[in-house]
Amino acid sequence: MAADMHQNLEILYTRQQIAERVAEMGAQITRDLNGEKLVMVGVLKGAAPFLADLARAVNVDATFDFVATSSYGCGQRSSGAVKLIKDLDEPVEGKNVLVVEDILDTGLTLNYISKLVMAHQPRSLSIAALLDKPSRRKMPIQARYIGFTIPDAYVVGYGLDYAERYRNLPDVCVIENPETN
Ligand code: PRP
C-alpha cells in the first residue's frame, strides 16, 4: 500500500531513509554487544516491521520473543494505564534483552515492559525505538537506540496504525484529519 493512495498522508520518512537509519542502528547494536548474544523482544503489533528489519541489520546471535500490551482510557494511543495481553515466552534471566518498539510516546508502555523484563533479572536491558516523541513523555523512559526524534504529530505506517489501518505503508507518514481518510 502506497502513501499516495491516501489524500491525507504526508511522508515524514521514506522507506530509503528508514532503511538507512535501521542499518546504522543495527551496526551500533552489533558494536555494543561485542560478540554477546541478544534476545530481541518485539512489542506487538506496531513493532513487527521494525523488528523484522532491525533483526537482519544486527550481526549477532539473536533470538526473538514478543510481548503485547494495550492501554486503557479514552481509546486513543497512549492513554491511561497499561494492560499485559501477552507475556514473554522464554526466560530472559542472565540474557541481553533489547526491547524493540515502533514509537516511544508517553513512555507508559515501555515503563511497564521495562519493569516486566527487569523482574526476570536479565544481564542487560536496552530499548530500541524507531521513533521518539519526547514532547509527550509522562514517564522518565529513554531509549538507548533511537531512529528519529519527531514532533507531536500523529504518525502512521511502517507498523504504526490509526484504528488498525496503515500498518503496511512502507513509509512513515503524518496523517491529517484521520477520521476523514
Ligand atoms: C503504541 C506503540 C507503542 C505505544 C507507545 O502501541 O506501538 O507500543 O503505543 O505509546 P506510549 O509510549 O505512550 O505508551 P498501541 O498500544 O497503540 O498498540 P499497537 O502497537 O498494537 O498499535
Side-chain angles (χ1 to χ4, degrees), residues 44-46 77-78 101-103 105-109 161 167:
L44 296 172
K45 302 172 192 168
R77 189 186 288 169
S78 302
E101 257 289 26
D102 51 351
I103 188 165
D105 192 332
T106 63
L108 288 164
T109 302
D161 74 308
R167 292 193 196 273

Side-chain angles (χ1 to χ4, degrees), residues 45-181:
K45 302 172 192 168
F50 180 42
L51 175 75
D53 287 343
L54 187 65
R56 288 174 289 178
V58 293
N59 189 15
V60 299
D61 187 349
T63 58
F64 294 173
D65 206 339
F66 295 93
V67 293
T69 57
S70 74
S71 42
Y72 294 106
C74 65
Q76 286 204 328
R77 189 186 288 169
S78 302
S79 58
V82 177
K83 179 183 171 190
L84 188 66
I85 306 291
K86 185 207 165 296
D87 204 343
L88 293 165
D89 288 332
E90 302 293 333
V92 294
E93 186 177 342
K95 298 184 177 174
N96 297 304
V97 175
L98 179 69
V99 176
V100 180
E101 257 289 26
D102 51 351
I103 188 165
L104 174 51
D105 192 332
T106 63
L108 288 164
T109 302
L110 281 171
N111 180 60
Y112 181 92
I113 291 169
S114 297
K115 285 183 181 161
L116 181 84
V117 173
M118 286 307 289
H120 292 275
Q121 299 182 303
R123 173 171 164 78
S124 68
L125 170 62
S126 337
I127 293 167
L130 181 75
L131 304 175
D132 185 18
K133 249 191 214 180
S135 61
R136 296 251 311 159
R137 202 76 91 247
K138 291 181 182 165
M139 305 300 283
I141 291 286
Q142 288 186 325
R144 181 165 177 183
Y145 308 100
I146 292 168
F148 303 100
T149 300
I150 64 168
D152 186 15
Y154 203 106
V155 285
V156 297
Y158 198 71
L160 291 145
D161 74 308
Y162 175 77
E164 295 299 327
R165 293 178 67 200
Y166 310 111
R167 292 193 196 273
N168 64 323
L169 287 173
D171 313 298
V172 170
C173 302
V174 173
I175 185 166
E176 309 283 349
N177 306 314
E179 63 283 353
T180 63
N181 218 18

